[in-house]
Amino acid sequence: MPLIARGEVLGALDLKRTGNPEPFGDDDVVLAGELAARAAVCIDNARWFQRERATALTLQRNLLPQRPQNPVGLEVAYRYQPAGGRRPGRRRLVRRHPPQDGAKCALVVGDVMGSGINAAAAMGQLRTAARTLAGLGLDPDQVLQHLDRTANGLDQSIATCVYVVYDADSARCCVANADHLPPVLMCPGERPLLLDLPTGAPLGVGGVPFESVAFDLAPGDQLVMYTDGLVETRDEAIDARLRVLADLLDRPPLGLEETCDLLLTALREDNDQDDVALLIARVTPPSG
């Protein structure tokens, strides 16, 4: 029986009997035709999905920034792992920190709702807008307001985002949140702490103000920023998963690369149905 889907012959289904010498009857032919038709549609759908997924992944990877220079006062490590992907090796490490004036740098993690090419294209447009806005030296809440208006003009318009500005001169950090999971603050000798931030609305909702929160950082302090794909599962409440994240971080300090590997290995062991972006920044001692 030919395997035909959308007018294209994909192959053939060959059926044989081994224990019955009788020839196939009319009912057998009808059944074989149904099996062949269903199999052809399934095969064609799988091929279409693989093509779309490969295109989306290529677009996502091309949108990731190249390795820039280290930001002033920070050491940064980054991972991106697509849904259903293998655990990333260090070759996938990317540092992301849109430039700001002087000793300031911005750290951004965002997540567009949905998947596929449209979501990847929307994230690329928002990333370009965020990078441009970062160069203007705006406060995080102002940046999110501009990104909110940008998201309103996109087909795939809803996204979450956490935007951080660190000033190495004052050792001060300023954060604004657009319905994103809160960063984890790690201070040497203390329990990791989920930052208590105003939640804000997702980008694209429109008309909802954002609020910036500022606090001081000391050398050795770390910020862990991530998307919900790192912690969310169908079987556990998000609060329980966030406690697991904090427990994993509550151990003798590791290098940033090792911490990234630890979190992805432990939290993604049986859950790889969503993309993950993970960014860890550590404050370095002042030079000189």
Side-chain angles (χ1 to χ4, degrees):
M1 303 295 298
L3 299 174
I4 303 174
R6 298 179 178 87
E8 181 182 356
V9 178
L10 307 180
L13 172 66
D14 188 16
L15 302 173
K16 296 181 174 63
R17 279 178 170 167
T18 58
N20 184 352
E22 295 296 322
F24 289 115
D26 293 339
D27 290 342
D28 297 321
V29 173
V30 172
L31 176 60
E34 289 290 333
L35 290 174
R38 290 173 181 265
V41 171
C42 290
I43 293 171
D44 191 60
N45 286 342
R47 295 199 313 173
W48 177 84
F49 173 79
Q50 289 294 339
R51 285 195 298 268
E52 183 182 72
R53 183 173 185 272
T55 301
L57 287 177
T58 300
L59 177 59
Q60 287 172 324
R61 294 188 190 285
N62 287 339
L63 290 172
L64 292 174
Q66 300 300 314
R67 186 190 301 265
Q69 296 178 350
N70 285 326
V72 177
L74 291 178
E75 178 188 2
V76 179
Y78 170 85
R79 292 286 195 279
Y80 168 71
Q81 182 175 337
R86 297 177 180 269
R87 299 189 192 101
R90 294 189 182 178
R91 66 184 182 279
R92 296 187 183 177
L93 168 64
V94 182
R95 295 189 176 116
R96 176 176 292 182
H97 42 271
Q100 292 220 334
D101 294 334
K104 292 183 178 180
C105 69
L107 304 170
V108 189
V109 169
D111 193 5
V112 169
M113 296 182 185
S115 59
I117 298 173
N118 290 337
M123 179 54 75
Q125 290 173 281
L126 288 172
R127 174 188 172 271
T128 300
R131 190 174 185 89
T132 301
L133 293 166
L136 301 178
L138 302 174
D139 290 336
D141 60 301
Q142 295 174 312
V143 172
L144 292 186
Q145 288 173 8
H146 287 292
L147 290 177
D148 182 45
R149 287 193 286 270
T150 300
N152 265 320
L154 303 178
D155 292 335
Q156 192 106 12
S157 60
I158 301 298
T160 67
C161 180
V162 60
Y163 191 97
V164 176
V165 173
Y166 175 70
D167 187 343
D169 286 339
S170 62
R172 194 150 181 84
C173 190
C174 193
V175 187
N177 189 16
D179 199 38
H180 201 84
L181 289 174
V184 180
L185 174 61
M186 299 171 59
C187 300
E190 299 181 16
R191 166 85 176 168
L193 174 68
L194 288 167
L195 292 179
D196 186 12
L197 303 174
T199 303
L203 301 177
V205 170
V208 180
F210 300 96
E211 183 178 346
S212 295
V213 174
F215 52 91
D216 294 327
L217 292 177
D221 290 351
Q222 299 182 45
L223 277 179
V224 180
M225 303 162 62
Y226 50 93
T227 56
D228 56 11
L230 181 68
V231 292
E232 282 192 346
T233 66
R234 297 179 180 178
D235 303 326
E236 295 182 74
I238 187 62
D239 289 343
R241 292 290 291 176
L242 290 174
R243 286 194 294 271
V244 173
L245 171 62
D247 289 340
L248 287 169
L249 295 171
D250 190 18
R251 58 179 62 203
L254 300 171
L256 300 190
E257 308 291 352
E258 290 76 14
T259 301
C260 287
D261 292 338
L262 168 68
L263 295 181
L264 286 174
T265 300
L267 294 173
R268 297 275 285 178
E269 187 69 32
D270 300 313
N271 174 41
D272 63 350
Q273 301 306 306
D274 195 5
D275 293 357
V276 170
L278 171 64
L279 186 152
I280 305 178
R282 179 165 56 200
V283 179
T284 58
S287 59

